[in-house]
Amino acid sequence: MNGNLIIKNAAELVTCSGFKAKKGQEMSDLQVIHDGAIVIEKGIITKTGKTEEALSGLNASRFDLVDASGKAVLPGFIDAHTHFVFGGYRAEEFSWRLRGDSYMDIMKRGGGILSTVEATRRATKNDLIECGKKRLDSMLSFGVTTVEGKSGYGLDHDTEIKQLEVMKELDASHPVDIVRTFLGAHAVPEAYRYNPDGFIEYLISEVLPDISKWKLAEICDVFCEKGVFSVEQSKRLLEHAKFLGLKLKLHADEMAPLGGAELAAELGALSADHLLYASDKGIQEIARAGVVATLLPGTAFSLKEPYARARFMIDNGCAVALATDFNPGSCYSESIPLMFALATLYMGMTPEETVTAYTLNAAAALGRSDTIGSLDVGKAGDVVVLEFPSYLYIPYHIGVNSVEKTIKRGEIVFDRSVN
Ligand code: NIG
Ligand code: FE
């Protein structure tokens, strides 16, 4: 176990080659090598190409070997938007939504996010680590090698920090890499019910400084939404976070066209996420500003909302990423194949575009397209091997996992073929 690995004879080596987000038509270009091989040394990719040429002159005895005959090999998937550290569940709320209650109505009654806040405040760090580990194990089995995780179920100094510390510990102990995002502005807590401006000031003066000082998060996010945080409140918080050196993301235009996409473009955010109701102007502005549109089909599906306009976005030159939004409320699913199926069947994306969206563009949505997201020399050896010969099987095998092996920095960390 030294991170030295050769994968050879791949029916398709889907490299997704590139070091920055692919926009518009570029998203269709997967740079596939047939009968491909990849060489990983000490966890880093050192060679890719046709099997014969990639392996010539190599002392194969120094390497572990995977024969990928009849199989497709892709970059590890990157789930660039999740809320995977939380206490409690909201199965009852799901049944209320089936009955016709809306997500926002449940939230206004003190349910929804606020009920998970209660449960997360009560949970010990160990409780959260234990649940978090199980969730990461499941993600790994779906081929996820990097995940973004948000706080936002604390809404107070100590619990927000507890969530971020849990992710830091999980990052150190689990093969899946975790990118930590501070989402203190996820809902208005009961104590600030009539004073959301005061809550934003509290986050700026009491919480953000410690998060920045202790390097607990790289990114700051906000739920910029009608009835939650306004464009002005979101801007105030995000500008301060940017000043402290954090990168930015927004939950934007998820339930109403509020102008979150426009704000993401104005602030130069890494990504604007959800965008179900984003305006034409907002979409054109994020395309121009190079903000990744991170789309979350599972949430639209689960909330029975219209899907984000992926086709229109790509045709207008956007870089689109896909993610699960895994969380206990609006989308309790970490299923990668479900997202591929929804994006292709209901959002007008081609299989090629969905692969780019889950790899290179997802890396860009996390500010990491220089180190992960494609099978390029110099990047981390994070790879998935499918049990089928083509990436086309991912959306085609609807909602079922096609991943045989997940490889993290040259080590096999999930292998269905040995079970
Ligand atoms: O991305 N919209 C806000 N946040 C999450 C849902 C969180 C929850 O319901 O617990 C989302 O949909
Ligand atoms: Fe979310």
Side-chain angles (χ1 to χ4, degrees):
M1 286 301 213
N2 46 17
N4 290 349
L5 180 73
I6 292 171
I7 306 170
K8 64 174 188 177
N9 303 329
E12 287 179 356
L13 187 75
V14 184
T15 68
C16 300
S17 181
F19 290 85
K20 58 181 180 34
K22 290 188 180 166
K23 294 176 162 193
Q25 281 181 355
E26 296 165 2
M27 286 184 67
S28 306
D29 182 15
L30 295 181
Q31 301 268 332
V32 177
I33 301 171
H34 295 276
D35 186 19
I38 174 166
V39 181
I40 302 170
E41 295 180 70
K42 292 195 183 128
I44 301 294
I45 299 170
T46 53
K47 236 183 199 179
T48 61
K50 288 263 183 206
T51 297
E52 209 179 299
E53 99 214 2
L55 303 193
S56 79
L58 214 66
N59 174 4
S61 67
R62 293 195 295 119
F63 292 84
D64 290 329
L65 191 67
V66 171
D67 185 347
S69 302
K71 291 165 187 177
V73 172
L74 295 89
F77 298 131
I78 297 166
D79 199 345
H81 181 138
T82 84
H83 310 245
F84 81 93
V85 174
F86 56 84
Y89 289 93
R90 286 159 37 204
E92 268 198 338
E93 184 186 312
F94 183 80
S95 73
W96 299 338
R97 283 198 282 108
L98 295 178
R99 210 173 62 185
D101 297 6
S102 84
Y103 178 83
M104 287 313 257
D105 286 344
I106 293 169
M107 183 160 167
K108 280 182 202 137
R109 302 204 295 258
I113 294 174
L114 291 177
S115 81
T116 300
V117 168
E118 287 292 302
T120 308
R121 286 179 180 172
R122 279 197 307 270
T124 65
K125 237 171 132 172
N126 273 346
D127 295 337
L128 295 175
I129 288 176
E130 230 170 84
C131 294
K133 186 185 169 306
K134 284 192 195 136
R135 292 168 193 157
L136 291 172
D137 285 346
S138 173
M139 291 174 190
L140 197 64
S141 75
F142 284 118
V144 172
T145 47
T146 300
V147 66
E148 184 251 18
K150 301 175 195 292
S151 68
Y153 292 124
L155 313 182
D156 63 26
H157 176 278
D158 291 0
T159 318
E160 287 293 310
I161 285 180
K162 177 171 75 178
Q163 274 195 278
L164 293 166
E165 283 176 348
V166 163
M167 286 188 252
K168 190 171 175 183
E169 289 186 29
L170 286 167
D171 185 36
S173 60
H174 195 281
V176 175
D177 280 340
I178 301 168
V179 179
R180 299 187 298 273
T181 295
F182 172 59
L183 177 57
H186 192 196
V188 182
E190 199 45 47
Y192 286 89
R193 188 164 189 172
Y194 302 104
N195 183 17
D197 286 316
F199 183 58
I200 295 287
E201 289 315 312
Y202 163 74
L203 293 176
I204 290 175
S205 60
E206 307 283 329
V207 190
L208 257 180
D210 284 345
I211 283 172
S212 150
K213 186 165 68 199
W214 298 329
K215 297 200 177 347
L216 284 172
E218 300 178 30
I219 302 171
C220 182
D221 192 348
V222 55
F223 191 11
C224 178
E225 189 61 51
K226 189 167 170 234
V228 192
F229 295 104
S230 67
V231 170
E232 292 70 31
Q233 288 160 346
S234 304
K235 185 170 172 183
R236 166 118 182 85
L237 177 73
L238 292 174
E239 278 181 336
H240 195 77
K242 190 173 179 179
F243 168 76
L244 292 176
L246 278 86
K247 295 172 197 151
L248 311 180
K249 276 185 185 295
L250 287 89
H251 280 67
D253 306 318
E254 178 180 354
M255 320 274 177
L258 201 69
E262 289 85 338
L263 180 62
E266 183 189 333
L267 295 176
L270 285 175
S271 71
D273 299 32
H274 285 289
L275 301 174
L276 308 189
Y277 289 94
S279 68
D280 290 4
K281 179 169 156 282
I283 290 169
Q284 279 144 7
E285 287 180 16
I286 58 172
R288 212 171 308 125
V291 175
V292 176
T294 300
L295 307 184
L296 310 162
T299 310
F301 175 64
S302 167
L303 296 181
K304 299 204 215 169
E305 291 280 340
Y307 291 91
R309 294 184 290 154
R311 189 71 265 143
F312 179 82
M313 292 178 194
I314 297 172
D315 292 344
N316 277 273
C318 278
V320 167
L322 288 164
T324 59
D325 195 20
F326 177 65
N327 73 73
S330 64
C331 184
Y332 182 50
S333 177
E334 71 277 37
S335 170
I336 302 292
L338 176 62
M339 305 308 146
F340 272 95
L342 295 175
T344 47
L345 289 166
Y346 293 113
M347 293 165 77
M349 293 177 74
T350 65
E352 292 74 25
E353 288 165 346
T354 57
V355 170
T356 300
Y358 246 118
T359 54
L360 186 63
N361 283 5
L366 299 180
R368 296 201 178 182
S369 52
D370 51 342
T371 54
I372 53 174
S374 66
L375 302 180
D376 278 306
V377 170
K379 287 200 179 185
D382 295 354
V383 184
V384 298
V385 180
L386 302 186
E387 52 179 302
F388 295 108
S390 171
Y391 64 85
L392 288 173
Y393 284 71
I394 306 171
Y396 163 59
H397 201 192
I398 294 174
V400 181
N401 192 9
S402 297
V403 171
E404 181 189 280
K405 289 181 180 47
T406 308
I407 291 158
K408 184 70 190 171
R409 284 194 203 85
E411 310 267 337
I412 299 171
V413 284
F414 169 78
D415 194 347
R416 191 187 303 281
S417 68
V418 297
N419 292 333

